[in-house]
Amino acid sequence: MKTRYLLLFLFSLLLSASGLASLPPVDRDEARFVQATKQMVEAGDYVDIRFQDQARYKKPIGIYWLQSAAVGLSGQGAEAPIWVYRLVSALGIALSVVGLAWTGTRLFGADAGTAAGLVLAALFAAAFEGRIAKTDAVLLACCVAAQGALAQIYVASRRNEPVAGWLPWLFWAAQGLGILVKGPIAPLLSALTVATLFAFERDGRWLKRLKAGRGVLLAAVIVLPWLALITWKSGGAFWQEAVGKDMLGKVAQGEESHGQPPGFYVLTYSLFMWPFGLAAIGAALVALNHVRKDARLRFCLAWYIPFWLLFEVIPTKLPHYVLPAYPALALLVGWLATLEPADAETPLRRWQVWLRWAAAFGQVVVTLGLAVVCVGLPIYLMGRLDPWSIPAAIAMLAAGWLAFPRGLQMPLPRIGAAAAAAGIAFSLLFGTIAPRLTPLWLSPRMVQAMRDNKPCATTVLASVGYAEPSLVFLAGTKTLLSDRVGDAARHLLSDPACAFASVPVDQEAQLNEDLAKAGRHANRLAEIDGVNYSSGRTMALGLYRIAN
């Protein structure tokens, strides 16, 4: 049994490995997280969270501590490359996979647990989040641990079986760690699950087995010390920013241009659950028809449905917000995979048949779409076909075909084959094709142009019109971001021998006009043309230095 968990752990790490180092820092969330961590290491302050001179209090400290630990273990300090920060997310996904396999094994048997782990490891959502250095992969690990412990306590109580004494402690420890990583999401997920089970059964006596008194104290011991320190250090600004603006802002209105109407997660489901979205819908529909007879299925549905519905109602929406609910569907795929075929292929109601057809349509569209992206994106951006595009597209099509159930049930060998094909496809897309789409990666090209022109040890870059956080992470914390050409001119004049400035090429005349007032002129050392994917703008940036 332990060998299965080890193999799943290594399989998940292998699926996430490609792209950790080759994919440049991604704007804007990842770059903000890693830059804030970098500044912690530079300043030696592991309580306050800052991006340059601005406080960054939207998320708690957990992910920054984990990334700082990775940076410290690397021995490279603040100069650690991006893959060091991302390793935390890759480990978060791998722990989620093992945790889900453990839960599936305890609920449905070893084969079901293995199938659930394979499904989670190979999802598009996991492949993306496992390569990005932000909160969601680690949050997923906390949620899987908490929900896994809660599921086993609940099912044992329904069977009148004893509960292992350490399960409540695991539940509460995971809640505390989840709060440190991303605030109330992990407790919210468990609370919705418990509330749904109570509404269905009208029986909450099993909750006594959670040992809430001691458990809440454990979670408080994990969370409160940092909350006290950050409250003292920020003068209460943390609460205003994290709760008043971030959390309540997302609930009250669409924040940061991410407002979407209800139904958003229905539309993004087929992509983020790819390639197992259709299999998961089929398993959930079969489970729904057996929900009154089986406490294990009740728990899985109570894990997914209310969390998904709540986030459909909340105005602020991003596809990864519902990631903590996806493991429940993976468990159902594993459960259905291990049933006898006669039990698995149960008749569906008419609305269920239509829903499954809709999911099948979504799977076909996403499979073809991903294959087209592998081939078409390099041609569109680079004007040529990437040599890895065809193998990547073939792997995408193979994964979509293998994960397309012939009935409701998908056998374990086919799940494994589909997961392997998806892993190959993601490795080629994220690890090879995407990093070579050079028009998208303006920040690395700007920093490389600086290096090619031999900066001083004290060189600082001023950037006008391009203010993405990835540039700060790569060029240095002191990078000056502005929207005024005059600021770039003053920066160059402040250190004529060493300072660099990045200015849109169409504003070069304005830059030299400002410099001419001081009797100086700037040389354009390089031009970086491309697309700022965060804003959708095509840009032509010049790198300038005072002429000798």
Side-chain angles (χ1 to χ4, degrees), residues 1 4-5 8 100-101 104-105 109-119 334 412 415:
M1 189 64 67
R4 287 196 186 205
Y5 296 147
L8 283 170
L100 191 66
T105 297
D111 286 348
T114 300
L118 289 170
V119 168
L412 179 56
I415 291 174

Side-chain angles (χ1 to χ4, degrees), residues 342-537:
D343 297 327
E345 300 299 328
T346 57
L348 299 179
R349 299 179 178 91
R350 178 174 295 181
W351 70 268
Q352 294 175 325
V353 172
W354 281 107
L355 180 58
R356 188 166 180 269
W357 274 109
F361 175 76
Q363 176 140 339
V364 170
V365 169
V366 170
T367 300
L368 295 176
L370 288 172
V372 169
V373 164
C374 291
V375 175
L377 202 56
I379 295 174
Y380 176 73
L381 290 173
M382 306 287 292
R384 62 179 184 272
L385 179 68
D386 189 289
W388 289 103
S389 290
I390 299 302
I394 291 173
M396 291 289 183
L397 295 172
W401 178 76
L402 287 167
F404 199 102
R406 302 308 179 262
L408 292 170
Q409 187 182 52
M410 180 180 293
L412 179 56
R414 197 173 185 95
I415 291 174
I424 294 170
F426 294 141
S427 295
L428 293 175
L429 176 60
F430 294 123
T432 302
I433 296 173
R436 300 205 294 207
L437 298 175
T438 52
L440 297 179
W441 310 117
L442 296 172
S443 296
R445 292 165 62 204
M446 179 64 69
V447 172
Q448 185 58 52
M450 290 173 60
R451 291 171 181 160
D452 292 343
N453 286 279
K454 299 178 181 179
C456 309
T458 58
T459 290
V460 174
L461 173 70
S463 178
V464 175
Y466 179 72
E468 298 303 333
S470 62
L471 184 62
V472 179
F473 177 73
L474 293 172
T477 300
K478 294 181 180 180
T479 301
L480 173 66
L481 305 177
S482 177
D483 56 2
R484 296 188 297 269
V485 175
D487 290 339
R490 283 188 290 274
H491 175 71
L492 290 174
L493 292 170
S494 69
D495 188 5
C498 294
F500 283 165
S502 168
V503 175
V505 171
D506 60 7
Q507 297 184 55
E508 181 178 314
Q510 178 64 51
L511 175 65
N512 278 315
E513 183 179 325
D514 290 342
L515 291 173
K517 297 174 183 177
R520 306 305 293 263
H521 177 79
N523 286 336
R524 188 199 305 170
L525 306 175
E527 181 175 335
I528 294 89
D529 299 328
V531 178
N532 182 356
Y533 55 85
S534 295
S535 64
R537 293 173 54 202

Side-chain angles (χ1 to χ4, degrees), residues 266-316:
V266 174
L267 295 177
T268 57
Y269 169 86
S270 292
L271 172 60
F272 279 78
M273 274 294 294
W274 189 89
F276 293 106
L278 175 58
I281 286 290
L285 293 175
V286 175
L288 195 62
N289 293 339
H290 293 82
V291 69
R292 294 187 178 276
K293 303 175 184 178
D294 196 325
R296 302 169 302 172
L297 305 183
R298 275 200 299 279
F299 186 92
C300 291
L301 293 171
W303 179 345
Y304 180 79
I305 294 175
F307 192 82
W308 158 59
L309 288 175
L310 176 64
F311 277 81
E312 286 284 19
V313 173
I314 293 174
T316 302

